[in-house]
Amino acid sequence: MKGILLAGGSGTRLHPLTLATSKQLLPVYDKPMVYYPLSTLMLAGIRDIMVISTPQDLPQFERLLGDGSQFGVQFTYRAQPTPDGIPQAFLIAGDWLGDSPCALALGDNLIFADQLNSTLTQAAKRTHGATVFAYQVRDPERYGVVAFDNLGRALEIVEKPTAPTSNWAVTGLYFYDSRVLEFSSKLQPSPRGELEITDLNRIYLQEGSLNVERLGRGCAWLDAGLPESLLDASSFVHTIQARQGLLVGSPAETAFRMGYISAEELKNHALKMSKTELGRILLNIAKSDEEIPRPLA
């Protein structure tokens, strides 16, 4: 399975912060925002990843991420000239995708959960249909919303409903089979002029092949697209790391735990950041005799 990290858009809801840089390069506590969804894709076992951003911001992502070898993965870069909707990413990546199934992560989404690795790898192993993740929110009108029947089966998905029938929002992480490019090419722009990810998900729902995994109380999903949610995400990461001593959203640690890089490679990566707390934690992980590469919870 291949992965797409979509980090485009103009970030107008975060102006003036995003007038000079991409939203997905803003800090969420001690890491660039893009590190968090990148770690999620890697945690699903995905090592071939395309980063899509605006033409002006793409060179910054290339400087930050390089070719991916430091994380044991491979990055490809493509530009999204205009923000014409999430499914446009599949059209941009079409020749690269070929007949491969694909996961797509939005660059401003953070997911933290117990046993997330097993949940993601299970989704990645499905050979037919699509998998999305739903999370209870207080303001469902801001999101694509999925409603369920009494047996917990998905009934409908509605984009930004004015009168939501559910408070389960679809998060910015999607897994699709090899038909995703075919289905995306058939989508028509919505009244707001964009291809809608909800319309793509609805195709799978209507044929009965959409899996909706509900993320429960032991999970946190944060969309860092507003000033207050950006602050919330930073506070959350700081709290977890300070209280539990666990890193959140570190591609280097994820690569080590997943066996993508060795302890020596992690050590070399950490030494480049030796003046930071993040670098010191990574160095301790690399040096510890008790640490062995294993999936994160």
Side-chain angles (χ1 to χ4, degrees):
M1 173 172 278
K2 295 183 176 182
I4 294 176
L5 188 52
L6 183 57
S10 54
T12 54
R13 295 182 299 170
L14 282 167
H15 280 182
L17 295 173
T18 50
L19 288 175
T21 190
S22 167
K23 169 178 65 175
Q24 292 85 2
L25 292 173
L26 294 176
V28 174
Y29 185 50
D30 58 351
K31 306 172 205 74
M33 188 187 297
V34 71
Y35 270 23
Y36 298 89
L38 170 58
S39 298
T40 300
L41 289 177
M42 293 170 60
L43 204 55
I46 298 170
R47 303 179 70 174
D48 195 357
I49 299 169
M50 175 174 285
V51 180
I52 297 178
S53 187
T54 65
Q56 61 268 28
D57 291 327
L58 201 60
Q60 298 181 63
F61 286 96
E62 294 186 70
R63 283 195 296 272
L64 173 68
L65 300 174
D67 62 4
S69 57
Q70 75 273 31
F71 302 137
V73 301
Q74 179 179 334
F75 291 127
T76 303
Y77 297 91
R78 290 277 174 89
Q80 182 185 33
T82 55
D84 295 328
I86 296 171
Q88 185 190 28
F90 300 111
L91 305 180
I92 292 171
D95 61 326
W96 174 80
L97 276 178
D99 295 326
S100 173
C102 181
L104 184 147
L106 300 186
D108 60 356
N109 274 228
L110 183 159
I111 298 177
F112 181 83
D114 187 33
Q115 302 302 320
L116 183 59
N117 169 255
S118 59
T119 301
L120 297 177
T121 53
Q122 182 180 2
K125 288 178 180 177
R126 291 192 177 108
T127 58
H128 181 72
T131 300
V132 299
F133 299 87
Y135 187 82
Q136 280 189 294
V137 296
R138 188 178 59 183
D139 49 355
E141 64 279 356
R142 288 182 53 205
Y143 306 98
V145 174
V146 57
F148 300 91
D149 63 17
N150 292 333
L151 297 177
R153 297 172 299 196
L155 283 176
E156 65 174 1
I157 299 181
V158 181
E159 182 66 22
K160 296 181 174 62
T162 54
T165 57
S166 162
N167 63 346
W168 286 95
V170 178
T171 71
L173 178 64
Y174 317 89
F175 288 76
Y176 298 105
D177 63 18
S178 59
R179 298 174 295 165
V180 65
L181 180 58
E182 173 192 350
F183 290 162
S184 297
S185 65
K186 296 178 180 178
L187 297 176
Q188 296 298 317
S190 68
R192 64 176 185 162
E194 295 184 7
L195 302 180
E196 301 289 352
I197 195 69
T198 295
D199 291 339
L200 176 60
N201 292 333
R202 195 177 290 120
I203 293 175
Y204 286 96
L205 176 64
Q206 289 171 349
E207 73 165 22
S209 65
L210 180 70
N211 301 283
V212 182
E213 301 281 352
R214 286 193 266 193
L215 302 174
R217 289 178 180 266
C219 172
W221 170 56
L222 297 164
D223 171 1
L226 293 169
E228 57 268 32
S229 57
L230 181 61
L231 177 61
D232 288 343
S234 292
S235 297
F236 174 81
V237 173
H238 173 258
T239 299
I240 294 295
Q241 294 189 173
R243 297 280 291 180
Q244 295 188 308
L246 302 174
L247 287 179
V248 180
S250 167
E253 186 198 15
T254 302
F256 176 65
R257 304 289 192 188
M258 295 293 288
Y260 299 167
I261 61 174
S262 66
E264 186 64 24
E265 288 172 311
L266 178 62
K267 178 182 176 181
N268 291 335
H269 179 79
L271 286 173
K272 297 175 183 177
M273 301 182 292
S274 59
K275 294 184 178 181
T276 69
E277 183 65 18
L278 174 60
R280 288 189 285 271
I281 293 173
L282 289 173
L283 191 58
N284 287 337
I285 293 172
K287 287 181 175 180
S288 174
D289 292 334
E290 286 117 36
E291 291 291 349
I292 58 172
R294 61 184 182 274
L296 293 172

